[in-house]
Amino acid sequence: QVQLVESGGGLVQAGGSLRLSCAASARTFSSYTMGWFRQAPGKEREFVAAIRWSGGATYYADSVKGRFTISRDNARNTASLQMNSLKPEDTAVYYCAVGTPAAARSRELYDYWGQGTQVTVSS
């Protein structure tokens, strides 16, 4: 079973930046997708960004496109989410997840989840 640990959450001012990292216990994710989801209080967990481990194809929610960048380090089984131009509406618990190669934006295709890291953006 894959174990995921998120880090990098915190409190930032609107317009600021933050970088989240997700470290996985598995040695390789050549046949998987790693994604980021977020959940604000009282809201459904929503897709943020994803990257296919093989090839590096990326997917973004419209709400973060142009501001967030997902990347991978295959050798370290680590995915990062660089978040720039943060807005108060980005405030949420951010979860790293691992899914099938076809997972992309589909929450139901992600099988492993981290514990989440809090991101708070103040006005």
Side-chain angles (χ1 to χ4, degrees):
Q1 195 170 12
V2 176
Q3 296 187 43
L4 305 171
V5 179
E6 303 100 332
S7 62
L11 173 65
V12 296
Q13 292 281 345
S17 297
L18 205 61
R19 189 171 77 96
L20 307 182
S21 294
C22 175
S25 61
R27 225 182 95 255
T28 180
F29 288 96
S30 60
S31 63
Y32 288 91
T33 296
M34 291 189 73
W36 289 93
F37 292 76
R38 66 188 183 187
Q39 188 167 22
K43 304 281 287 184
E44 292 284 329
R45 191 170 299 185
E46 66 176 354
F47 171 79
V48 177
I51 185 166
R52 294 184 67 180
W53 216 246
S54 180
T58 57
Y59 309 86
Y60 295 96
D62 289 341
S63 60
V64 307
K65 198 171 298 180
R67 299 187 298 121
F68 291 10
T69 302
I70 189 169
S71 61
R72 77 196 196 282
D73 186 335
N74 189 243
R76 295 193 295 142
N77 292 328
T78 300
S80 296
L81 184 69
Q82 179 66 46
M83 305 184 294
N84 298 325
S85 302
L86 283 162
K87 306 173 180 179
E89 50 262 47
D90 294 318
T91 295
V93 176
Y94 283 70
Y95 297 90
C96 177
V98 172
T100 69
R105 301 173 176 86
S106 302
R107 176 180 170 180
E108 66 271 18
L109 297 182
Y110 289 84
D111 300 312
Y112 304 99
W113 297 83
Q115 293 298 307
T117 185
Q118 178 71 49
V119 171
T120 302
V121 184
S122 62
S123 301

